Amino acid sequence: MDKSSALEYINQMFPTEASLSGVEPLMQKIHSEIRRVDAGILAAVRQQSNSGTKAKEDLAAATRAVEELMYKIREIKTKAEQSETMVQEICRDIKKLDFAKKHITTTITALHRLTMLVSAVEQLQVMASKRQYKEAAAQLEAVNQLCSHFEAYRDVPKITELREKFKNIKQILKSHVFSDFSSLGTGKESEETNLLQQLSEACLVVDALEASVREELVNNFCSRELTSYEQIFEGAELAKLDKTERRYAWIKRRMRTNEEIWKIFPASWHVSYRLCIQFCKKTRKQLEDILNNQKEKPDVGTLLLALQRTLEFEDELAEKFGGGTRGREVGNEIEDIGRGENTTQSASDIRKKYEKKLAAHQGNATEEKDKELSVPGAGFNFRGIISSCFEPHLTVYTELEEKTLMENLEKLVQEETWDIEEGSQNNVLSSSMQLFLIIKRSLKRCSALTKNQTLFNLFKVFQRILKAYATKLFARLPKGGTGIVAAATGMDGQIKTSDRDERVICYIVNSAEYCHNTSGELAESVSKIIDSQFADGVDMSEVQDEFSAVITRALVTLVHGLETKFDTEMAAMTRLPWATLESVGDQSEYVNGINMILATSIPILGSLLSPIYFQFFLDKLASSLGPRFYANIFKCKQISETGAQQMLLDTQAVKTILLDIPSLGHQTSRAASYSKFVSREMSKAEALLKVILSPIDSVADTYRALLPEGTPMEFQRILELKGLKKADQQSILDDFNKHGPGITQPSIPPPAVTPVPTAPTVALIQNPASAGLLVPREDVLTRAAALGRGAATTGFKRFLALTEAAKDRKDGPFRKLFNA
């Protein structure tokens, strides 16, 4: 410690004079501690000195031990090298002896095999000369195995000589076997009882020879068997199409007769299978020549009979030998036509349908597996090997089918009652269902004969037949009046429909929908049945478009028929004395007439039409009746304030009637959009009447606010309806034109004539969304709301004259008001 610390320590130890008496004991204690520390230091120094000396001694000992170890290792290595040299010297002579033994063993084995080969070849030569086929077959196997051991000695003269001799012996055996087989089928087998046994043994020799020998023998046998067939059926008497069945009877009889004799052939040769293939190829060639050399078109009955027998024969061969498979679900696919989306299937029906498909799939898989294991030629397809030659000549068949289908169509249309029996669920004309039954039978007949070009041609025939039926349905729709009388009476183009006509139109709509759906199912079934190269061309979209056009035209005709029924009520509305009405009462008689017409027709239409087409009909009816009612107000003469109030009441009544139409038809699922559309259309008529009710000084502002799309000409007609004279009108018109015809705001276009949605589309018909009028100046709305103020004093003669003139014209902007 430093000086100051030592002083502090002493002062702390001896704070008083009395405490100095303890200095001596403390000093003794300190000296004692110093001596103890010095002794410890001395002991540590001595120990350290002793440890360093011992470490040096240990290091020297370790070094000596390493040197001794290295010496011993070198000594061991030297001894190992000496041992290796000694072993090599000992084994040098043993290696020589080992190689000598190996060469001697190989030479002895080769000489032994050579002796066996020479002996076997000599024995084989003797067997070949004596036609000992059974022994020769076994000997051939032995010689072949022995020859395989001498592949490396091909250049040795002796081996070359033996191989050449063996080759000559095999050629002799081949010639003997072929010579003996040439007698098969000549009748010698019945005279020489051991001939069949000899030929059976000869087959063993053929199996022992090269595979090409077996192929050549089987081909020669098949060609020899079919020589008589070619001679018989190439003659003038049997080389005819109507003798086709006798060809197949000949080969079946031949195979049945010679079945026992042909058992001499090993099963692995598949002689019957190869014979049938050659027979089919020769038959196809002969039938092609017959068909191509005919000067006139073949008789359809004869042609189809020959084709049918050919298909039956091919099926027999395919079943016997397993070559090719024919779809099992063809009949089911055809039967399912017309039972698809347009009918409700229960869960059990759907489950049964897919269980059948699964069973058929599993059956096909089992059949394919069996075929791979047992069929001689799994890659060969007997089906179509002969019958395909008929394909280019089946045009007469499709022509006959088309003629028959067209005759049946004409008969069905002639016998059609255009009515539905009581209790019927689908409200479809019987001619539609009968037509598809006839088409399904025709498809079954054709698919049983061919699935190639002819089936595709028949599908084209189906398209033409269905288009013709669509034309028949279109022609049955009621037509508008034509001619001089109709034009003179203003009935040109108008369609009059009775209650029966309306029902018939609904039946036509339902039938066209049924044909639209079923034709799609027909195309789908044909695409599954027909050959894959024609599947892409199977399409019924054009036919479906035809039936969609029929549906659209029928619904439009239905709307036009109702429009014609409204003519009397619209005329009654214009004849009422609106200028002289004294008070506002109940709704007018013409409103009751409109209600009666709709109450009579709508329930029937709603019960017969599907929801999607009923909705389309309602949209068309609303888009027609709303603007027509609006235009009919201008046909009236002068309208007084009371008359306008009564007409406003009638307008609201008509609007209510129109809004109740979905409930009348018992179809309210899509009524919301229809209600918006009706409200929008009828609000225009209400707005027009509010303009007529407005005071003279604010009529222009009210017109611009409530009817912003109005024109100066229409505004002038409103002034005439209010009874203003020409002189009084001019100042109001000048002010109206000065401020512009209307307040600019987004317009709501009339609904476009949307195409009728078809069943595959299943899309709801959406009406255009109604948009509210933009609020103009506050004072204009205030004045427009003051209904009942102001009056009209004069008629609307000018507008009536214009509309009557437009009604007789076939074009022009005003004509659309009457044809909407």
Side-chain angles (χ1 to χ4, degrees):
M1 56 182 63
D2 55 13
K3 185 177 181 181
S4 59
S5 298
L7 290 176
E8 290 178 0
Y9 177 75
I10 293 173
N11 292 330
Q12 184 179 359
M13 293 295 296
F14 304 103
T16 62
E17 183 177 355
S19 63
L20 292 176
S21 59
V23 170
E24 190 64 28
L26 178 63
M27 290 300 292
Q28 291 176 359
K29 182 179 179 182
I30 292 174
H31 286 300
S32 175
E33 183 69 22
I34 290 172
R35 284 192 299 270
R36 187 184 63 77
V37 172
D38 288 342
I41 293 172
L42 181 61
V45 169
R46 289 174 180 173
Q47 185 180 2
Q48 181 65 30
S49 176
N50 293 335
S51 297
T53 303
K54 187 177 180 181
K56 290 179 181 180
E57 292 174 356
D58 292 341
L59 179 61
T63 303
R64 289 193 297 271
V66 170
E67 289 176 353
E68 291 176 2
L69 179 62
M70 292 298 294
Y71 172 77
K72 291 180 180 179
I73 291 173
R74 284 194 296 270
E75 187 178 6
I76 292 171
K77 185 176 181 182
T78 302
K79 290 180 179 180
E81 291 175 353
Q82 293 173 356
S83 299
E84 183 181 3
T85 303
M86 187 182 300
V87 170
Q88 287 178 352
E89 291 175 356
I90 294 172
C91 295
R92 184 180 297 120
D93 296 334
I94 297 175
K95 271 188 179 180
K96 292 179 181 179
L97 293 174
D98 187 51
F99 281 123
K101 179 184 177 182
K102 183 177 181 181
H103 292 322
I104 290 171
T105 303
T106 303
T107 304
I108 292 172
T109 304
L111 289 174
H112 180 63
R113 288 175 178 172
L114 180 61
T115 303
M116 293 174 61
L117 177 61
V118 172
S119 175
V121 169
E122 290 176 354
Q123 292 176 15
L124 182 62
Q125 188 173 14
V126 174
M127 294 173 186
S129 62
K130 293 182 180 180
R131 284 182 162 82
Q132 296 175 348
Y133 294 132
K134 186 175 183 179
E135 294 80 3
Q139 197 70 8
L140 271 172
E141 292 289 342
V143 174
N144 281 328
Q145 290 181 5
L146 289 172
C147 285
S148 65
H149 294 294
F150 292 95
E151 287 293 330
Y153 306 102
R154 283 178 173 273
D155 298 333
V156 177
K158 183 62 177 177
I159 301 300
T160 304
E161 180 184 349
L162 284 174
R163 293 177 69 88
E164 191 65 29
K165 187 176 181 180
F166 179 48
K167 182 178 179 182
N168 293 333
I169 294 172
K170 289 196 291 185
Q171 191 63 36
I172 293 171
L173 280 171
K174 175 183 175 182
S175 61
H176 286 174
V177 170
F178 276 56
S179 175
D180 291 346
F181 268 99
S182 64
S183 61
L184 185 64
T186 60
K188 291 184 179 181
E189 59 269 12
S190 59
E191 299 174 2
E192 302 178 15
T193 55
N194 62 340
L195 178 61
L196 294 179
Q197 179 64 29
Q198 185 178 0
L199 292 179
S200 178
E201 294 173 354
C203 291
L204 300 177
V205 173
V206 174
D207 274 335
L209 296 172
E210 290 81 4
S212 59
V213 177
R214 182 183 63 189
E215 293 294 327
E216 184 179 352
L217 178 63
V218 173
N219 289 335
N220 288 345
F221 168 76
C222 294
S223 299
R224 191 167 58 252
E225 283 290 324
L226 295 176
T227 300
S228 59
Y229 167 74
E230 292 180 327
Q231 294 173 352
I232 293 172
F233 288 95
E234 281 182 352
E237 182 179 354
L238 294 179
K240 297 179 181 178
L241 198 60
D242 55 354
K243 306 296 183 183
T244 304
E245 187 175 3
R246 298 183 61 178
R247 295 174 178 271
Y248 310 131
W250 182 91
I251 187 63
K252 287 189 282 189
R253 183 171 60 252
R254 188 75 174 174
M255 294 176 66
R256 186 170 56 252
T257 304
N258 297 324
E259 183 177 3
E260 291 298 325
I261 299 175
W262 291 352
K263 286 183 178 180
I264 62 173
F265 297 107
S268 60
W269 287 20
H270 310 301
V271 174
S272 299
Y273 172 76
R274 297 176 183 275
L275 178 65
C276 289
I277 291 177
Q278 287 201 22
F279 170 81
C280 291
K281 291 179 179 179
K282 292 181 182 296
T283 302
R284 176 189 172 90
K285 186 177 183 305
Q286 291 185 357
L287 289 178
E288 281 180 340
D289 294 339
I290 293 172
L291 290 168
N292 292 332
N293 294 333
Q294 285 184 335
K295 297 180 180 179
E296 299 179 354
K297 288 185 177 182
D299 178 67
V300 178
T302 304
L303 182 67
L304 294 183
L305 180 61
L307 177 57
Q308 183 64 36
R309 296 294 178 260
T310 302
L311 291 170
E312 292 173 357
F313 177 67
E314 290 175 349
D315 286 342
E316 291 177 11
L317 293 182
E319 184 176 357
K320 181 179 180 64
F321 300 113
T325 55
R326 190 184 294 266
R328 299 182 179 183
E329 296 188 19
V330 172
N332 293 336
E333 290 290 346
I334 297 174
E335 288 299 329
D336 288 341
I337 297 174
R339 301 180 181 177
E341 292 78 358
N342 59 327
T343 57
T344 302
Q345 291 182 321
S346 65
S348 59
D349 294 336
I350 297 174
R351 184 176 64 253
K352 289 178 181 178
K353 175 182 177 182
Y354 283 96
E355 285 177 351
K356 289 180 180 178
K357 290 187 176 182
L358 179 61
H361 176 72
Q362 293 175 346
N364 287 335
T366 304
E367 182 178 324
E368 290 293 330
K369 183 177 180 181
D370 295 341
K371 182 176 72 173
E372 291 174 2
L373 296 176
S374 61
V375 172
F380 190 82
N381 188 359
F382 277 104
R383 290 190 170 96
I385 186 174
I386 305 174
S387 57
S388 57
C389 72
F390 289 87
E391 194 72 35
H393 305 276
L394 288 176
T395 308
V396 291
Y397 165 68
T398 55
E399 291 174 353
L400 178 63
E401 285 284 358
E402 183 170 11
K403 179 181 178 183
T404 304
L405 287 171
M406 194 60 73
E407 290 174 353
N408 286 326
L409 174 60
E410 294 294 337
K411 183 179 179 182
L412 288 173
V413 174
Q414 290 176 2
E415 296 177 354
E416 180 60 70
T417 61
W418 304 101
D419 201 356
I420 303 298
E421 297 180 359
E422 292 292 335
S424 178
Q425 296 180 353
N426 52 12
N427 294 321
V428 175
L429 295 172
S430 62
S431 59
S432 301
M433 294 182 286
Q434 291 296 324
L435 177 61
F436 276 99
L437 287 176
I438 295 171
I439 288 176
K440 285 198 288 186
R441 286 196 289 267
S442 175
L443 179 58
K444 273 188 177 180
R445 288 193 297 269
C446 185
S447 61
L449 300 175
T450 175
K451 295 179 177 62
N452 295 307
Q453 183 66 49
T454 302
L455 180 57
F456 185 72
N457 294 340
L458 184 64
F459 177 75
K460 295 294 185 184
V461 171
F462 294 158
Q463 288 180 321
R464 293 193 288 273
I465 295 299
L466 291 173
K467 287 181 180 179
Y469 183 64
T471 304
K472 300 287 186 185
L473 293 179
F474 194 89
R476 182 59 181 81
L477 294 173
K479 302 296 187 296
T482 57
I484 300 175
V485 176
T489 57
M491 300 297 291
D492 186 16
Q494 290 188 342
I495 299 175
K496 289 186 176 182
T497 55
S498 61
D499 293 343
R500 171 175 167 73
D501 289 336
E502 291 177 353
R503 297 179 69 90
V504 170
I505 293 172
C506 292
Y507 296 149
I508 290 176
V509 170
N510 295 334
S511 300
E513 180 186 14
Y514 170 79
C515 293
H516 181 285
N517 297 337
T518 311
S519 59
E521 296 172 11
L522 175 63
E524 183 179 355
S525 297
V526 172
S527 65
K528 292 179 181 178
I529 297 170
I530 202 168
D531 191 74
S532 58
Q533 61 178 329
F534 299 100
D536 292 339
V538 177
D539 183 27
M540 277 286 187
S541 57
E542 292 184 4
V543 174
Q544 291 177 315
D545 290 343
E546 293 281 343
F547 286 111
S548 295
V550 171
I551 295 173
T552 303
R553 181 60 186 173
L555 294 175
V556 171
T557 301
L558 203 58
V559 174
H560 287 173
L562 276 177
E563 287 179 351
T564 305
K565 290 183 177 181
F566 292 144
D567 286 348
T568 303
E569 310 307 327
M570 293 292 106
M573 173 183 173
T574 59
R575 289 196 297 268
L576 286 177
W578 300 105
T580 58
L581 283 180
E582 297 180 355
S583 62
V584 177
D586 293 335
Q587 62 189 30
S588 302
E589 191 63 31
Y590 74 90
V591 177
N592 295 331
I594 293 174
N595 187 28
M596 182 62 66
I597 293 171
L598 293 176
T600 303
S601 299
I602 295 301
I604 298 175
L605 301 182
S607 63
L608 295 179
L609 292 177
S610 63
I612 194 169
Y613 296 126
F614 186 70
Q615 178 69 23
F616 180 84
F617 163 75
L618 292 184
D619 290 345
K620 291 292 294 179
L621 181 63
S623 64
S624 168
L625 189 56
R628 186 178 182 186
F629 189 86
Y630 179 85
N632 210 56
I633 296 175
F634 289 102
K635 290 185 179 182
C636 298
K637 297 180 181 180
Q638 182 177 344
I639 302 175
S640 65
E641 180 179 355
T642 304
Q645 291 176 351
Q646 178 64 47
M647 191 177 291
L648 185 60
L649 177 65
D650 294 343
T651 302
Q652 293 172 348
V654 171
K655 178 180 177 181
T656 302
I657 293 171
L658 293 178
L659 291 175
D660 288 341
I661 288 181
S663 59
L664 276 176
H666 303 291
Q667 295 191 20
T668 58
S669 58
R670 299 179 178 89
S673 59
Y674 167 76
S675 300
K676 292 180 181 179
F677 184 52
V678 169
S679 299
R680 189 193 69 192
E681 291 298 325
M682 295 305 296
S683 64
K684 295 179 181 178
E686 294 175 346
L688 175 60
L689 293 172
K690 291 177 182 179
V691 172
I692 295 174
L693 283 168
S694 63
I696 297 297
D697 58 348
S698 62
V699 66
D701 292 337
T702 305
Y703 180 72
R704 278 194 296 267
L706 298 182
L707 296 171
E709 296 179 357
T711 63
M713 183 178 296
E714 190 179 84
F715 180 65
Q716 184 177 359
R717 292 174 186 146
I718 292 175
L719 296 180
E720 293 177 357
L721 283 175
K722 291 178 69 66
L724 293 179
K725 297 180 179 180
K726 291 289 184 179
D728 299 332
Q729 294 177 14
Q730 192 60 44
S731 60
I732 300 176
L733 287 172
D734 291 341
D735 181 66
F736 178 79
N737 294 328
K738 180 178 179 181
H739 290 86
I743 300 173
T744 303
Q745 53 184 309
S747 62
I748 305 171
V753 180
T754 54
V756 178
T758 55
T761 308
V762 194
L764 299 179
I765 303 173
Q766 300 294 337
N767 286 326
S770 59
L773 295 173
L774 295 180
V775 180
R777 295 183 302 274
E778 188 66 27
D779 57 340
V780 174
L781 289 180
T782 302
R783 295 176 183 178
L787 299 178
R789 290 183 293 175
T793 56
T794 59
F796 194 19
K797 297 180 181 179
R798 182 181 177 188
F799 177 73
L800 181 60
L802 288 173
T803 52
E804 289 296 326
K807 186 177 179 181
D808 295 332
R809 295 179 59 186
K810 294 184 178 180
D811 55 2
F814 290 101
R815 179 63 181 172
K816 297 178 181 178
L817 296 174
F818 304 97
N819 293 335

